[in-house]
């Protein structure tokens, strides 16, 4: 029952990636986790988005072992599993090759926070992972991708900055549930695009002041939030 | 009755922001003012555009105090109220995070007038506000945003240049009514995009000569206007 | 009868400008000429494209005097009339503020021919007009716009290079009939966009060699053309 | 029978070029080959994509001689025929003037592999052909275009890097069948766009390490592939 609902949410999150123009062909994937059951629901590998059905989704445990599903899971499942184990507050993950966030990943530059659009969703620059070693790439590549992300968040709160750039690859985003993860992937792309344009207009554009950055983030997040309508969950 | 019509106009102006691709997610907002009644109609905060109905809109007085509506108003209401008090000729305001205008805001550069597309709508460069102090940001942030805009228009006519860039935030545009405000937000984005492309082709592109600038602006505005069809209001 | 058909063609050409994303709001216009009758059919001024009907179009003589129509003609009519008098081979004109071609106009740079896409339609760089003098701008501005275009074609064949950039304004394109003019405006924008991207990748990109340039142009135009299917008119 | 199916596949591949935004107007073409019969099916020249029917397609032998069809074949047929003779593993070819790949062609730069999106489809930089001599251009131009592509693949496997940039012209892509060729043309444009953005963010962005490059390519191709679902053909 719980899992049936999660399947629907994960399908919806995957479709949102398509609707927002964040993925093309079979690139990208979104997943969700049922914390109590310790189960992950994830997109099958290489299946076109327009043909996916919720029953095609694969169920795995937090070690990344498949427990249900007739199709192969996304090859990035070990990355998702690693993140779910390391970041207990997150309920969903979205991985895309969205153009501008990927360009920053390929350029090996974190995305600086240059304005309030970014600050509304991310309380700091979007971190960039270290370059993976040849051994990490040749070995358990996808699990190592998770490990390198975790290292990039040493001293950072993954719920305050719910996205990362994997060097020479692309972005991962997450959130309280699969659809929030997909929304953060969308907002990341918007921030990446605006930062790109800003840097082109002024190569020396400087990061937002901390006071303004916090003001915008805290207008939307946490107990003092006053943006939006009152609701049970943030 | 008057207010019912204004609600519809404000809804239409908000929807025009979506149709023109100027807003994403719940960013942005448009409002209108009934001058005789001294009342502002504004978008509710954080409500998705596709679910808004005119009855959801919030009514406030010119001090930004809500007088009607079951939803919270846009968190930017104090900015709108400040502008309506300072600029008596304006009847509507549109705030967006449109990409190119926001990039100029983040780059901390006014948008120079480089061609007749810009000159047709704005009789000069689009001004950039000063950077707000930490005290302004930490205090009545949204009202201070209005104040910093007003300071940027010292010596300028807000109806001749109906838009501004708030540093590190994004654009506000206005007009005789809510839909004209939304149209000016659209034209601002077009001018911002063309100025971006122009600067990329030629970093030393110079501003339009004053004679050509005025010729185009005055073809469309004021008593000597000869563009478009004859009509009662400009 | 002849004029009724021309009205339909001019409407279609104007709508093609919208379909190709070359105009926004009420910017731009297309016209056609009935050479035997010495009459021009042109878009009315400032009328939204989606509300235009062929009966709204204005008929003028080659001096730009209106002879039929209840609406004001496009304010650019004197430019069109000047071009029809100077370039006897053209049957239609399209004026847009398409983004990339306008950026080159604003940057005051002709569009170099950097590839075969450009060469297929234009047998040379797209010329840029001189900057108009203050007297020309303050006087018969629109007619002077036509005159400055004609000066830019001294020694050039307007049918071999059916487009021009008016400095700080935007492009005009033309062709054998109104729809060919609109198509050339579309191909101009494509060439402008590709030249923009090319210059960004390699600021020293050099123009196409003359032999390759001619080979592509002559594959499509003139007696030796072998592109496309056999037809009566080119 | 066999040929009837190939006609449908070639039509579908051509339509995919339109659906992916890779061609405009009548630019571009896709073809397929029936190896056993030694016959090529190719798009007719200059026919609008939205009016093409599978019966309009032209059938030619591997020397580029038309054997069936009432319309002229694409003027690029000799290029296709040359490639089919030189690259025996390919079953389809797609030629476009897609914007970013064309910009790299015009800039006379190969597209470096800067990330895993590129590596997933192409096992190396996208090669750039030599500049053709005036004699080649003035002579059998289209056949020479094929020859210059073949020279660019000296020492390279065309199935590991299924695309090329023809200098000052645009890209050709190929694959096991016509639709795979069209997909590779699409992925090429995505890689070209991301490489463009990356270079704009960081002009010194360096190519992907060989280990990561191979890991991604071999996740999707060859016997060790583990991306996607099990299937008969790769």
């Amino acid at each position: 029952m719980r899992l049936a609902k999660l399947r629907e949410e994960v399908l919806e999150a995957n479709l949102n990636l398509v609707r927002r123009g964040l993925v093309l062909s079979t690139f990208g994937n979104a997943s969700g986790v049922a914390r109590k059951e310790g189960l992950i629901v994830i997109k099958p590998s290489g299946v076109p988005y327009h043909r996916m059905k919720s029953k095609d989704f694969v169920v795995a445990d937090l070690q990344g072992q498949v427990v249900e599903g007739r199709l192969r899971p996304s090859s990035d499942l070990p990355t998702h599993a690693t993140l779910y184990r390391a970041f207990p507050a997150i309920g969903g993950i979205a991985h895309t090759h969205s153009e501008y966030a990927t360009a920053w990943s390929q350029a090996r530059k974190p995305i600086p926070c240059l304005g309030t659009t970014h600050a509304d969703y991310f309380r700091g620059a979007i971190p960039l992972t270290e370059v993976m070693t040849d051994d990490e790439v040749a070995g358990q590549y996808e699990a190592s991708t998770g490990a390198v992300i975790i290292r990039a968040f040493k001293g950072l709160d993954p719920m305050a900055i719910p996205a990362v750039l994997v060097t020479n690859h692309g972005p991962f985003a997450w959130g309280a549930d699969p659809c929030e993860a997909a929304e953060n992937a969308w907002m990341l792309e918007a921030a990446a695009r605006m930062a790109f344009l800003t840097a082109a207009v002024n190569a020396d554009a400087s990061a937002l002041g901390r006071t303004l950055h916090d003001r915008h983030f805290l207008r939307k997040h946490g107990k003092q939030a006053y943006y939006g309508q009152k609701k049970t969950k943030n």
Side-chain angles (χ1 to χ4, degrees), chain A:
Chain A
M1 179 60 187
R2 170 82 177 83
L3 218 55
K5 184 166 171 291
L6 185 59
R7 279 174 187 276
E8 293 301 328
E9 287 176 18
V10 174
L11 173 61
E12 184 70 12
N14 275 283
L15 292 177
N16 281 346
L17 299 183
V18 179
R19 290 170 189 137
R20 303 320 187 182
L22 304 176
V23 292
L24 45 79
S25 188
T26 62
F27 284 108
N29 44 69
S31 72
V33 70
R35 288 285 176 189
K36 209 166 124 190
E37 294 82 354
L39 292 175
I40 298 167
V41 173
I42 193 164
K43 176 174 171 283
S45 182
V47 173
Y49 284 92
H50 62 278
R51 274 195 248 141
M52 284 183 318
K53 289 186 175 61
S54 61
K55 71 174 167 57
D56 296 335
F57 282 74
V58 182
V59 182
D61 64 25
L62 285 175
Q63 303 309 316
Q65 298 304 312
V66 172
V67 300
E68 190 188 319
R70 50 177 192 82
L71 294 175
R72 281 185 188 168
S74 163
S75 52
D76 294 321
L77 168 60
T79 313
H80 291 241
T82 305
L83 295 180
Y84 283 127
R85 293 197 307 271
F87 299 159
I90 72 178
I93 297 174
H95 169 51
T96 78
H97 288 205
S98 68
E99 289 183 7
Y100 285 83
T102 299
W104 287 93
S105 306
Q106 295 189 161
R108 298 190 178 176
K109 299 212 174 191
I111 304 176
C113 177
L114 299 171
T116 63
T117 314
H118 181 128
D120 279 336
Y121 282 83
F122 307 98
R123 199 175 180 180
I126 308 301
L128 177 77
T129 65
E130 293 169 19
V131 176
M132 291 168 75
T133 65
D134 276 0
D135 281 352
E136 288 174 317
V137 171
Q140 299 298 315
Y141 171 59
E142 289 83 5
S144 296
T145 300
V148 80
I149 292 173
I150 293 163
R151 290 207 296 275
F153 274 79
K154 192 158 188 176
L156 296 178
D157 174 1
M159 289 308 277
I161 303 178
V164 72
L165 304 179
V166 177
T167 296
N168 290 116
H169 186 158
F172 281 79
W174 46 79
D177 56 53
C179 284
E180 194 179 296
E183 186 182 359
N184 286 336
W186 181 31
M187 291 297 119
L188 173 66
E189 180 65 4
R193 196 162 51 229
M194 286 180 186
F196 176 92
L197 299 175
T198 303
V201 172
N202 183 355
D204 300 317
S206 48
L208 207 59
R210 175 49 49 191
T211 309
L212 182 53
H213 197 150
D214 284 350
R215 176 85 198 205
H216 267 265
F217 188 80
L218 299 173
R219 267 194 345 174
K220 285 205 166 179
H221 301 87
K223 291 182 183 168
Q224 308 297 324
Y226 59 97
Y227 181 95
Q229 305 302 322
K230 279 172 201 153
K231 41 190 171 180
T232 332
K233 71 167 202 167
N234 176 40

